[in-house]
Amino acid sequence: MLKLSRRFLLPYGIWMILFTVVPLGMVAYFAFFDQGQFTTAGITRIFSFMPNLLLSFKLALIATVVSLLLAYPFAYILSRKPERSRITYMMLMMLPMWMSFLLKTYAWMTLLEDTGIINNLLSALHLPTFHMINTEGAVILGMIYDFLPFMIMPLYTVMIKIDRSVIEAAQDLGANSAHILFRVVMPLSLPGIVSGVTMVFVPAVSTFYISQKLGGGKITLIGDIIESQFKQVYNFNFGSAMSLTLMILIFIVMGIMNHFDNEAIEGTLV
């Protein structure tokens, strides 16, 4: 039985080595070696781009918080719907995820441009127009639109498992809607919150295509700099050093979130 399980695990082990361990090893190598010579120049140069790194974390954090505020009530309402309605709403929610990331971003460009659909509609209604494209708000909006389903799905998965009798018991004991939300539903759904925050924050902080198109080159995030080092400047040492630094920071954030997740699970068991 043990030999059989090892045979089944062998393909996954090979896959992990080829597509996870080897690429990470290459990034670490190029971060500290330039043309075969050991150097820390790439690591020390990162500090000159600290404003871009902080801006990336700021926009990703805003997008994550807004996504949580939008996704939480939607996931809760969806989890209380009949099964047939839940399937329909989930299909509608996942439908944009089947579309090309490129097409979705260009669609938002068409909507947000100064002569785009939204401003043309405001002009037709004799209302003041707004400059929306090439701003931080446009980048945040793009992040929310693209990553919102990744917040909804883990929340919905956790909330659907909350026994209705628990909520009914809280109501019988005199708990109002606010008490049920903050003292019953939220503690039980905390693992979904942690998973959703992680799944939205990680791709948002490392994105580059959204900021390039909706930011118009005026909003330079850390992902844009890393992408330019590999595709334009061909400075693999510095690009790898920045990638490694961002990877470590993301691992730290994920470790913190997993710590809260473990505490939530322990609290639920107690």
Side-chain angles (χ1 to χ4, degrees):
M1 187 68 180
L2 183 59
K3 291 182 179 180
L4 185 61
S5 62
R6 287 179 178 177
R7 289 178 182 176
F8 279 112
L9 290 175
L10 183 60
Y12 299 102
I14 295 174
W15 179 275
M16 290 293 293
I17 292 173
L18 290 178
F19 298 102
T20 302
V21 177
V22 172
L24 290 178
M26 293 178 64
V27 170
Y29 173 80
F30 283 111
F32 292 101
F33 288 89
D34 188 10
Q35 297 181 353
Q37 298 293 323
F38 179 81
T39 177
T40 58
I43 299 295
T44 55
R45 189 183 168 195
I46 292 173
F47 294 100
S48 60
F49 292 91
M50 191 59 66
N52 304 94
L53 181 61
L54 294 177
L55 179 62
S56 300
F57 273 81
K58 169 192 166 185
L59 298 187
L61 182 61
I62 294 174
T64 303
V65 171
V66 175
S67 296
L68 177 60
L69 294 176
L70 293 174
Y72 198 90
F74 178 81
Y76 178 75
I77 294 172
L78 184 60
S79 66
R80 303 297 103 182
K81 292 284 185 180
E83 183 177 358
R84 181 172 296 180
S85 299
R86 291 201 305 266
I87 295 174
T88 302
Y89 284 116
M90 285 295 292
M91 289 292 295
L92 292 174
M93 182 199 71
M94 295 179 65
L95 189 61
M97 298 177 65
W98 299 341
M99 297 174 58
S100 168
F101 190 83
L102 175 65
L103 290 177
K104 291 189 290 185
T105 306
Y106 271 104
W108 274 110
M109 291 175 61
T110 305
L111 289 171
L112 300 178
E113 285 177 346
D114 293 337
T115 56
I117 295 175
I118 295 177
N119 277 326
N120 285 338
L121 180 61
L122 292 174
S123 298
L125 297 174
H126 303 287
L127 296 173
T129 59
F130 300 94
H131 176 69
M132 295 173 284
I133 198 71
N134 303 338
T135 62
E136 292 183 4
V139 175
I140 293 171
L141 183 60
M143 290 178 178
I144 294 171
Y145 176 77
D146 286 313
F147 304 131
L148 183 61
F150 297 107
M151 181 71 75
I152 295 176
M153 286 189 290
L155 285 172
Y156 168 78
T157 302
V158 171
M159 289 181 178
I160 197 66
K161 297 177 182 177
I162 298 177
D163 196 340
R164 292 177 181 267
S165 62
V166 176
I167 299 176
E168 293 173 356
Q171 292 173 337
D172 293 339
L173 293 172
N176 55 33
S177 300
H179 288 159
I180 292 173
L181 175 63
F182 290 105
R183 296 187 179 183
V184 179
V185 178
M186 273 195 173
L188 294 175
S189 62
L190 192 56
I193 295 175
V194 172
S195 298
V197 167
T198 304
M199 292 177 66
V200 172
F201 181 81
V202 170
V205 77
S206 58
T207 187
F208 60 90
Y209 195 80
I210 296 175
S211 55
Q212 288 178 2
K213 297 304 178 183
L214 298 183
K218 297 180 180 179
I219 310 298
T220 305
L221 304 183
I222 197 68
D224 299 312
I225 299 173
I226 294 174
E227 190 256 356
S228 67
Q229 296 301 311
F230 286 103
K231 295 184 66 176
Q232 299 173 15
V233 184
Y234 298 106
N235 189 343
F236 293 168
N237 174 251
F238 183 52
S240 298
M242 297 190 71
S243 301
L244 184 64
T245 303
L246 182 60
M247 192 186 312
I248 292 172
L249 292 175
I250 289 175
F251 282 154
I252 292 173
V253 172
M254 292 178 64
I256 294 172
M257 299 305 296
N258 287 334
H259 174 72
F260 285 112
D261 195 7
N262 292 334
E263 287 188 348
I265 293 173
E266 291 175 2
T268 304
L269 293 175
V270 171

